[in-house]
Amino acid sequence: MAIPLPAGVATTLEARLAPLRAAHSQARWSDLADAHLTLVFLGGTPAAVVPAVVDAVTRAAAGRVPFRVTLHGAGSFGGRGRPLVAWLGIGAGAAELTALAADIRARLVTLPGLAHLAAAGEMRPHLTVARRAPASLAPRLRNAFADEGPAWTVDGL
């Protein structure tokens, strides 16, 4: 489950990441035109379950008030023989996104084929910016996004 990145934010982010893209060209950088904040990683989902997933997400999002989101900080996961994935973190809006993700996840684990989400552990909402990233990229991203980055309002899914 993810929240799309607004086009204006993606454009601002592209400009801000340009120096890092040039310095770390070996990374497989995400296309920010299709960028999204990851709330819950579903993995392979049976097609027959997709309508129930949509319903669960719709119910989790219902009644939530709009909130401001900013990009702040960064990190990576993977390693130990797996490629590193570099991500940007959330500043403002982190609590709201984490609560929404927990609600969605709680609804999804009861669906056929998604019980594995219960054992997956909590995921921090994030924006993946690069795969096959060198270890040196995450600290540079953290420095580049030590301040509050691009901001927008989440007002629906």
Side-chain angles (χ1 to χ4, degrees), residues 11-24:
T11 301
T12 300
L13 193 54
E14 281 283 0
R16 201 160 172 183
L17 289 174
L20 293 172
R21 283 180 183 257
H24 296 279

Side-chain angles (χ1 to χ4, degrees), residues 41-142:
F41 181 72
L42 299 180
T45 304
V49 180
V50 171
V53 169
V54 171
D55 181 61
V57 170
T58 300
R59 286 184 286 122
R64 294 196 185 260
V65 297
F67 56 95
R68 184 173 179 264
V69 172
T70 61
L71 297 172
H72 174 75
S76 64
F77 59 86
R80 297 184 186 187
R82 295 185 306 162
L84 287 177
V85 173
W87 51 265
L88 295 176
I90 309 300
E96 292 90 339
L97 289 170
T98 300
L100 177 58
D103 189 2
I104 290 169
R105 186 182 182 151
R107 293 169 190 270
L108 295 180
V109 298
T110 63
L111 300 178
L114 296 179
H116 66 278
L117 294 176
E122 291 298 315
M123 175 183 282
R124 179 186 308 181
H126 65 277
L127 171 67
T128 297
V129 293
R131 292 175 174 75
R132 297 191 178 133
S136 59
L137 179 56
R140 292 192 67 194
L141 279 169
R142 265 192 298 280

